[in-house]
Amino acid sequence: MTVDTVIFFISAAVAAFGATMMIAQRNPVASVLYMILSLVAQAVCYVQLGALFIGAVLVIVYAGAIMVLFLFVIMLLNLRGSEDLGGPSTPVSLTTKLLVPVLLVAELVFIVRSAFTEAASTGIMAAPEAGFGEVASVARLLLTRYLYPFELTGILLLVAIVGAVVMARRERGDEAGGTGVGVSASDRTPTGGSD
Amino acid sequence: MEAQLPPYSIKMMLPELFLFVWALVVITFDLLTRRKSGSAVGYLAMLGLVICGGILSITGYGRGFGMMFINDPVAVFFKVIFLGAAFMAIGSSFGITNRKIVNHRGEYFGLILLSTVGMMFLASSQELLSLYIGLELTTIPLFVLAGFFKDDRKSVESGIKYMIMGALSSALLLYGISFLYGLSGTTDIVQMKINLAVTQLANEGDIGVILILATVTILAGIGFKLALPPFHQWAPDVYEGSPTPIAAFLSVGSKAAGIVAFVKIMMLGLEAFYDPVMKPNDWGILVGVLAIAAMVWGNVAAVRQSNIKRMLAFSSIAQAGYIMIGMVAMNQYGLAAVGFYTFVYMFANMGAFAIVTVVEDQTGSCKISSYAGLSRTSPFLSAALAVFLLSLAGIPPLAGFFAKYYVFAAAIAMAGSSNGHTWLYWLVGVGLLTTVFALYYYANVIKTAYFAREASPYRLRPLRPALLVIAIGLLGVLIFGVVPETIVDFARDLPYYIAH
Amino acid sequence: MVPISAYLILAAVLFGIGSVGVLVSRNMIIMFMSVELMLNAANMALVAFSRALNLMDGHVIVFLVLTIAAAEAAVGLALIVALFRNRESVDIDRFNLMKW
């Protein structure tokens, strides 16, 4: 029972705990906070795996930016969870909905254990090369061998900006709900074709 | 660690880069001219697609960036399909953009072009990471486009629904990719194929279990994109809620993108595992089951629809099932049949949706009953609709018949060739049965248009770009029904390139 | 030393919790976050494999996947903003995604 193992078990437990609490909350703000907890625990696991840079990036980008964006939207729209459970929570539908993921996880765990028992579960791995997981190594790969996916991701970010701005911007005369974008379904009027 | 830039050639990526820049030009043009421009923005977008096609035709074959970007006949074939689908989607959109989204025309056309750029990058990828990014680049604009009618709650909800399904499918796909990376140590697809085969032979099935897991999750991810049952729940709602040209683009472009992703990962990467000898990794059976589910469920559910967009959604699910039959037949005819089917399906489906857009624009309704008697007031449109639906149903001498013929022939040839694949006969049998069954709901629409008691109160006058789209669709369906060999001969070479 | 399979099992468990969240959740924010959790599970698997193989490619993949997840989240949340902008109520109703 080395320190490594203890740290792993604690952070794995916290990660799973945070994830489970996240899906069970009624208040969306609490969900986001539990997700952040889970992410920080996962970052600890990353650091244990030698991924120093990626672990830091996970906390900074994911917990620090994406989850904060979630919080921002929740608070902007003043979203509240529904007061009652609502919807079909009959025993049958709930059982089927829980059964599939439980089976899935059981299968995954079984498969992973059975397939990796020889090689990996002794716990002895080759020591990582010098500079494994550091910023310089990631950057070296990112800007040489993986330059093409890197640039593609840049295009993707541009597309996301355009899409997000189109969707979220406030139109002129938006207060009363009438804008120049789209017409509600009941309002479609036939027109003659003209060019 | 070496820090060397792989050999690259911008010339190979010219069509994609051009279209990307053109999309930005379209957005900026609309920004600068706003409402003064009339429909010029749309025409600008269509012009960009035509020029891109021209550039594509003179770009030779070769590698664009190390082992990651390749422009080979497979890529070119599918890029033509993507460009065609985008062209026809934009052509059908003029009615909508001139009336409903005057403020955001540039973004609408720009996002369609950007999605097409993503599809083209996807078709050229030889590497898992760039394939994944291409797939994301394809779907993220489509989330926005599906929800583009911001005031129509149904539209935004369908955008959100599509977004969650898209994110779910990409999470599944990534999980599968992570296992493939872990087992092979590389993300390059050809190298991965070699590594996996070597490891499999060395360990005698030790990695087989993990590989099944990876295959299942990847198939689930792609199954969501292609709307194969049981992952199809989102499709009818999203098609119904989103703007009709976007539903058309989803049904053709997004499906073709899913097919290319499938071909790259399964046929190229996991090719070694499609073999009875390599059981239990034979993914052919899994795909066969998905195909049967798609054909049966899609066709049966389509019968009960009264909304034509939902009917076409279920019909698209079934068409994806027929394409999957071609996938399972991994002989030299299989990929050719898949390519030809997708090509023909593009013409018929985009054409049918174009007509639905015209009807929806000018009558405000998507119900099949509102097509009653249309043949008497708009004979050309009714005839075109009949031709498109009959091609989808697979009636000779239209191209759809040959598409189905080639797919079934490929499966039968594969079934007869080796012992482990006799179940393919059953697959073809189900395909034939469902084809006959499907005729019912296609014919139902035609019957409503032609044999209603009274003539329709609407006289449809489609816009000129929409007429162009319908004409292109008709030409495609008719010409390739008469001379399918032109395309099929080209497509026959495709498996050769896949194997290398 | 902790074996690699332990990390893979953790990834599988997180993936499963995420999929439970997608199926059972009652509002779309949590559904979306569950999908992000599934993406993170895949990231964990990638980092674990990267360590086992002693190759840095996995880290680069995770880096780019994080970027993509951020872009997806931005667009998704913009859609949600568009949905709720014109509505009277602010309750997130049960979102009937899977009609069985």
Side-chain angles (χ1 to χ4, degrees):
Chain A
M1 241 332 143
T2 61
V3 182
D4 265 347
T5 326
V6 170
I7 294 180
F8 169 71
F9 273 116
I10 294 180
S11 49
V14 172
F17 168 74
T20 318
M21 294 301 283
M22 185 256 301
I23 64 180
Q25 291 296 313
R26 244 174 249 168
N27 186 353
V29 175
S31 289
V32 174
L33 293 177
Y34 274 114
M35 181 73 174
I36 293 180
L37 175 68
S38 177
L39 283 171
V40 172
Q42 288 177 45
V44 173
C45 292
Y46 283 26
V47 169
Q48 263 204 310
L49 283 169
L52 308 170
F53 177 57
I54 297 298
V57 166
L58 189 77
V59 173
I60 295 174
V61 170
Y62 222 105
I66 300 179
M67 289 300 131
V68 170
L69 183 63
F70 269 94
L71 270 180
F72 182 74
V73 167
I74 292 173
M75 293 184 178
L76 173 76
L77 299 175
N78 203 12
L79 297 174
R80 293 183 207 105
S82 36
E83 292 304 316
D84 55 275
L85 280 177
S89 45
T90 61
V92 176
S93 90
L94 205 59
T95 324
T96 35
K97 284 181 176 180
L98 283 178
L99 198 62
V100 169
V102 165
L103 282 178
L104 173 71
V105 176
E107 249 186 78
L108 290 176
V109 172
F110 166 72
I111 287 175
V112 169
R113 279 203 68 83
S114 67
F116 283 93
T117 15
E118 300 177 26
S121 67
T122 52
I124 299 175
M125 290 175 281
E129 331 177 321
F132 184 84
E134 288 181 5
V135 187
S137 320
V138 174
R140 200 172 291 127
L141 265 185
L142 191 65
L143 296 175
T144 53
R145 199 190 309 168
Y146 288 97
L147 181 63
Y148 166 65
F150 177 71
E151 299 292 342
L152 273 186
T153 313
I155 297 180
L156 185 80
L157 287 173
L158 177 68
V159 169
I161 292 175
V162 171
V165 168
V166 164
M167 267 297 125
R169 69 180 295 187
R170 199 177 274 281
E171 303 293 331
R172 277 174 235 116
D174 206 15
E175 292 313 308
T179 77
V181 178
V183 173
S184 59
S186 58
D187 232 1
R188 289 186 187 154
T189 51
T191 63
S194 62
D195 193 11
Chain B
M1 293 183 218
E2 82 282 3
Q4 278 214 341
L5 206 56
Y8 63 89
S9 157
I10 299 286
K11 195 164 71 86
M12 287 294 138
M13 298 194 227
L14 212 47
E16 287 88 358
L17 294 176
F18 170 79
L19 198 59
F20 169 64
V21 171
W22 195 268
L24 300 179
V25 165
V26 165
I27 295 178
T28 321
F29 179 80
D30 184 54
L31 189 67
L32 294 175
T33 62
R34 266 305 119 126
R35 289 166 224 226
K36 295 174 263 174
S37 61
S39 329
V41 188
Y43 286 119
L44 194 65
M46 289 169 85
L47 177 67
L49 284 168
V50 171
I51 299 179
C52 182
I55 298 179
L56 184 66
S57 63
I58 62 175
T59 304
Y61 298 136
R63 294 194 175 268
F65 187 91
M67 300 297 283
M68 294 192 186
F69 184 97
I70 191 172
N71 200 33
D72 60 2
V74 179
V76 170
F77 189 84
F78 278 96
K79 285 183 198 183
V80 168
I81 295 180
F82 297 142
L83 288 172
F87 186 84
M88 293 169 88
I90 292 183
S92 341
S93 305
F94 279 77
I96 295 178
T97 53
N98 285 345
R99 254 183 327 111
K100 287 190 189 174
I101 46 176
V102 182
N103 282 339
H104 291 279
R105 267 190 301 222
E107 284 88 345
Y108 177 86
F109 293 122
L111 284 171
I112 294 183
L113 293 181
L114 287 169
S115 180
T116 317
V117 170
M119 293 179 194
M120 290 170 76
F121 275 122
L122 172 61
S124 275
S125 62
Q126 283 286 88
E127 192 254 343
L128 288 174
L129 182 58
S130 49
L131 187 145
Y132 180 75
I133 301 179
L135 202 57
E136 291 297 309
L137 194 48
T138 303
T139 53
I140 288 186
L142 289 174
F143 302 158
V144 178
L145 286 169
F148 217 78
F149 290 158
K150 291 205 289 188
D151 271 355
D152 183 358
R153 185 180 156 180
K154 255 188 137 186
S155 174
V156 185
E157 270 192 15
S158 75
I160 295 180
K161 201 173 282 193
Y162 186 51
M163 183 259 301
I164 293 195
M165 282 299 113
L168 186 61
S169 88
S170 85
L172 282 164
L173 190 64
L174 188 68
Y175 197 57
I177 287 179
S178 76
F179 279 110
L180 287 181
Y181 168 70
L183 286 173
S184 61
T186 172
T187 52
D188 181 57
I189 297 184
V190 178
Q191 187 64 40
M192 179 184 83
K193 177 175 78 167
I194 298 174
N195 287 359
L196 283 176
V198 165
T199 323
Q200 170 81 347
L201 290 173
N203 289 358
E204 307 214 339
D206 196 32
I207 63 165
V209 185
I210 290 277
L211 205 57
I212 296 179
L213 175 66
T215 312
V216 167
T217 45
I218 290 179
L219 277 178
I222 298 186
F224 268 112
K225 282 232 51 113
L226 287 174
L228 296 173
F231 314 112
H232 69 286
Q233 305 281 348
W234 59 273
D237 296 328
V238 172
Y239 281 38
E240 190 186 355
S242 46
T244 314
I246 298 301
F249 194 50
L250 277 177
S251 75
V252 175
S254 168
K255 271 204 215 286
I259 290 170
V260 172
F262 183 94
V263 166
K264 296 266 177 194
I265 299 183
M266 305 298 280
M267 283 181 142
L268 179 56
L270 298 177
E271 182 194 353
F273 298 98
Y274 180 79
D275 196 321
V277 174
M278 291 278 214
K279 271 191 167 72
N281 296 324
D282 188 357
W283 52 263
I285 299 185
L286 285 173
V287 177
V289 168
L290 285 177
I292 292 181
M295 291 186 291
V296 170
W297 201 326
N299 284 318
V300 167
V303 171
R304 297 181 306 163
Q305 303 302 322
S306 57
N307 181 317
I308 196 167
K309 281 165 79 169
R310 291 184 76 94
M311 184 201 94
L312 284 175
F314 280 110
S315 137
S316 302
I317 293 176
Q319 303 283 330
Y322 296 121
I323 296 181
M324 286 294 128
I325 296 184
M327 296 285 201
V328 182
M330 278 265 290
N331 51 10
Q332 66 175 125
Y333 309 115
L335 185 55
V338 165
F340 181 67
Y341 199 110
T342 315
F343 187 71
V344 162
Y345 167 69
M346 175 208 23
F347 287 111
N349 224 31
M350 299 303 288
F353 266 107
I355 298 179
V356 170
T357 314
V358 171
V359 172
E360 187 189 7
D361 262 353
Q362 298 183 10
T363 66
S365 159
C366 287
K367 296 226 166 279
I368 297 183
S369 47
S370 56
Y371 285 71
L374 213 53
S375 59
R376 270 162 261 181
T377 53
S378 320
F380 171 66
L381 282 185
S382 311
L385 183 64
V387 169
F388 292 133
L389 291 178
L390 289 176
S391 175
L392 286 174
I395 302 293
L398 299 171
F401 167 74
F402 288 100
K404 289 206 163 68
Y405 166 73
Y406 283 119
V407 166
F408 292 149
I412 291 181
M414 186 69 177
S417 67
S418 56
N419 285 338
H421 297 280
T422 41
W423 57 273
L424 279 169
Y425 286 124
W426 290 99
L427 198 59
V428 175
V430 172
L432 286 168
L433 268 175
T434 51
T435 307
V436 171
F437 184 74
L439 196 54
Y440 171 69
Y441 62 84
Y442 288 124
N444 185 36
V445 179
I446 303 176
K447 182 194 79 154
T448 316
Y450 274 92
F451 298 118
R453 236 171 300 165
E454 311 150 354
S456 164
Y458 308 107
R459 244 208 111 203
L460 302 176
R461 295 195 291 136
L463 303 173
R464 257 174 273 141
L467 272 177
L468 175 66
V469 167
I470 297 173
I472 294 177
L474 280 175
L475 280 177
V477 161
L478 292 170
I479 290 180
F480 297 113
V482 172
V483 282
E485 304 85 47
T486 47
I487 297 295
V488 178
D489 281 341
F490 177 78
R492 259 213 193 115
D493 288 336
L494 297 184
Y496 169 73
Y497 293 97
I498 280 289
H500 296 259
Chain C
M1 283 294 272
V2 188
I4 285 292
S5 53
Y7 291 99
L8 292 175
I9 292 178
L10 175 63
V13 167
L14 288 175
F15 194 80
I17 296 177
S19 54
V20 170
V22 171
L23 288 174
V24 173
S25 71
R26 60 178 68 88
N27 64 59
M28 45 185 116
I29 295 269
I30 296 186
M31 199 182 291
F32 195 19
M33 273 200 292
S34 308
V35 177
E36 301 277 335
L37 183 63
M38 290 168 81
L39 271 171
N40 265 317
N43 283 343
M44 170 85 69
L46 276 169
V47 173
F49 279 124
S50 186
R51 175 72 177 90
L53 295 166
N54 243 328
L55 294 171
M56 292 286 292
D57 298 56
H59 291 196
V60 175
I61 298 176
V62 169
F63 185 76
L64 292 177
V65 166
L66 281 175
T67 317
I68 296 173
E72 223 165 21
V75 171
L77 289 171
L79 275 165
I80 292 180
V81 166
L83 182 67
F84 282 92
R85 175 148 270 150
N86 294 332
R87 283 173 48 150
E88 304 295 326
S89 77
V90 294
D91 281 342
I92 319 175
D93 304 316
R94 191 165 198 293
F95 192 47
N96 211 351
L97 195 61
M98 311 269 194
K99 290 189 224 157
W100 296 103

